Amino acid sequence: MSMIQPEPAGQPVSPFVLPVTQPPDRETLAGWQRYRLTRASFQPAPRLTLADYRRLSPRRKALHDLHRTATHVNLPLLETPMSAAVDRLMRFRMQNNALKTKASTQSGLMVSGGGFQGKTETVCDCAAAFEDFLRDLHQELNPDAVAGTRDLHAPVAYVQTPVTAKPKSVCEAILDFFGAPIARGATLPQLCRLVRASLRDHGTRVLILDDVTRLKMHREADQDALDLMRGLMSMNVTLVLVGVGIRQSGLLTGGHYDAASGQWRFLPRKDGKSYFNDEAGTQTDRRFDLIDLDPFRYDSPARIAAWTSHLAGLEDCLRLFHAEPGMLTTGDMPEYLFRRTQGVVGLLERLIEDGCAAAIDNGTEKLTVSLLDDIHIDLRDVPGRDPQAGEIPEVPQPPRPAPAYKRGRNTVFDDRGPASSSSAS
């Protein structure tokens, strides 16, 4: 990419500028609201023909290349058959719980899947859309506001499970979202009361706990933390747990699958322990829907067609001058891309993103197998991911060609000089 040169007089400057703020921190109330309001606000680069591009000044060319790169690293969240199923179930669960008026434990939802499969983005986008609906329904007001108070309305709260989760640290993470003051040396019962008050006073209807499989069920503190999370279900919120490989993580230990309702049921603890001292909540078993957000498959005509359709959607978002129709969907490219990513949408986006940057840099302006063969995906240093919890998947890399065998030189006729005196006799 060339350096940006001064703009000649009389030519308008491209409206695109680099973002001046960091991506929204969804783990705070202000950050979540900024995410909700701006999640679809990015404007991709305009589509220019190569002839139009060549007529631009050097500065405007550089700005347009920068805008194209930003477009490729901010690809929209495309719906897949798997994410559509998660979205549908989650919408039904949130809506049904929000309409309940009886005092009973509300059913929750567990969203499972591998790393980089779009679980967090799918869940957050669905929850943000639900909050948009609630705010529009109530004219931006909290229908359950406490008289005489001015608490901010927060229909959705998003919290990441601490890496070393304990009941107190989980409570503190929830309170940090609301910016609630935490007294130094507060006991667990005091923290639980603060959590209850924050969820109630802010009108929270949905609580998302991400990376929940960081809990290790062989640790007693983690078992207590999970019991606390289940106890949150008696607080009139829809609890959404998101994690990698929930079925194999041990989180379902102590529960049983109810074929009649299609839900996992968890009975109250035998010792009657409840962090929230909610007797009504302990009388009803806690229920979860469990749904898997799987990667794409490539083992049937229907699944191959779904994969190809997803590639077509990505292809339509790219801004490469020599990209021909079918660049990602014809020939060996669909099978190649599946082999490189195993159908994981996050790995696919990373491969396409890096490939487009290379295509712009070297001037080829299109994606080819030979170009993508030189792209290696390295996820070892991705921030905010816990490899021990399976949050970083295995990344297939392109096979490296074996080094060419070099035949040794024939030395039969080499002149090795006169024989040594010891051998001359």
Side-chain angles (χ1 to χ4, degrees), residues 90-104:
M90 187 172 170
R91 281 190 294 106
F92 286 172
R93 181 60 54 231
M94 293 186 297
Q95 178 178 288
N96 291 348
N97 286 343
L99 294 174
K100 288 182 178 179
T101 58
K102 58 184 180 180
S104 62

Side-chain angles (χ1 to χ4, degrees), residues 258-269:
D258 183 359
S261 64
Q263 295 180 318
W264 283 84
R265 303 171 67 132
F266 296 85
L267 297 177
R269 291 172 63 127

Side-chain angles (χ1 to χ4, degrees), residues 84-397:
V86 172
D87 180 84
R88 180 175 180 271
L89 179 58
M90 187 172 170
R91 281 190 294 106
F92 286 172
R93 181 60 54 231
M94 293 186 297
Q95 178 178 288
N96 291 348
N97 286 343
L99 294 174
K100 288 182 178 179
T101 58
K102 58 184 180 180
S104 62
T105 300
Q106 298 187 356
S107 296
L109 179 65
M110 291 183 177
V111 180
S112 179
F116 279 74
Q117 288 179 189
K119 301 181 301 300
T120 297
E121 295 307 316
T122 299
V123 167
C124 286
D125 186 71
C126 182
F130 181 71
E131 179 171 340
D132 291 340
F133 165 74
L134 284 183
R135 287 180 175 273
D136 180 68
L137 186 66
H138 297 293
Q139 289 80 45
E140 296 290 333
L141 300 177
N142 180 3
D144 299 318
V146 179
T149 65
R150 297 183 62 183
D151 289 299
L152 295 173
H153 191 197
V156 175
Y158 172 83
V159 178
Q160 273 201 326
T161 306
V163 175
T164 54
K166 297 180 180 179
K168 292 184 69 172
S169 65
V170 172
C171 286
E172 290 169 351
I174 296 173
L175 294 172
D176 283 343
F177 176 86
F178 297 107
I182 303 175
R184 187 170 184 176
T187 64
L188 180 58
Q190 290 173 330
L191 291 174
C192 290
R193 285 195 292 271
L194 286 174
V195 169
R196 173 186 287 277
S198 292
L199 293 174
R200 180 189 65 244
D201 295 345
H202 290 86
T204 303
R205 297 300 186 94
V206 179
L207 175 60
I208 303 170
L209 290 173
D210 202 357
D211 298 323
V212 72
T213 43
R214 291 177 177 177
L215 297 175
K216 306 302 179 185
M217 292 300 98
H218 64 277
R219 298 193 295 239
E220 183 177 0
D222 291 26
Q223 296 177 24
D224 291 340
L226 180 61
D227 181 67
L228 180 144
M229 293 178 185
R230 292 171 182 165
L232 295 172
M233 299 174 69
S234 63
M235 300 172 64
N236 297 321
V237 298
T238 300
L239 184 60
V240 181
L241 304 181
V242 185
V244 175
I246 288 179
R247 295 179 187 273
Q248 299 81 30
S249 67
L251 294 180
L252 300 179
T253 303
H256 70 278
Y257 181 73
D258 183 359
S261 64
Q263 295 180 318
W264 283 84
R265 303 171 67 132
F266 296 85
L267 297 177
R269 291 172 63 127
K270 293 182 180 179
D271 58 7
K273 181 178 181 181
S274 173
Y275 289 106
F276 296 95
N277 298 319
D278 190 339
E279 296 300 327
T282 61
Q283 299 303 313
T284 307
D285 56 348
R286 292 148 171 80
R287 305 180 184 183
F288 282 92
D289 288 294
L290 174 62
I291 187 168
D292 294 293
L293 185 58
D294 295 321
F296 280 96
R297 303 295 181 191
Y298 207 78
D299 53 5
S300 71
R303 290 175 172 177
I304 293 174
W307 171 251
T308 306
S309 176
H310 184 71
L311 294 179
L314 278 180
E315 181 181 310
D316 188 58
C317 299
L318 305 184
R319 301 294 190 267
L320 298 176
F321 293 125
H322 294 156
E324 300 176 353
M327 178 179 64
L328 301 182
T329 59
T330 58
D332 296 332
M333 187 61 84
E335 186 173 351
Y336 172 82
L337 292 174
F338 184 84
R339 186 169 63 250
R340 286 292 308 273
T341 63
Q342 297 301 305
V344 178
V345 293
L347 297 183
L348 174 66
E349 287 188 7
R350 174 67 70 86
L351 182 61
I352 297 299
E353 168 188 323
D354 291 351
C356 287
I360 293 175
D361 183 67
N362 63 24
T364 58
E365 292 289 343
K366 65 178 179 180
L367 299 180
T368 62
V369 170
S370 60
L371 182 144
L372 295 176
D373 271 343
D374 292 331
I375 304 296
H376 288 257
I377 304 174
D378 188 354
L379 304 178
R380 289 175 296 180
D381 298 325
V382 175
R385 300 276 182 163
D386 182 12
Q388 302 299 324
E391 295 169 18
I392 297 182
E394 293 292 331
V395 182
Q397 299 294 352

Side-chain angles (χ1 to χ4, degrees), residues 1 4 14-21 42 63 66-67 69-70 73-74:
M1 182 181 299
I4 299 179
S14 169
F16 172 75
V17 293
L18 287 173
V20 296
T21 59
F42 178 79
L63 286 173
L66 192 63
H67 199 171
T69 301
V73 301
N74 291 284

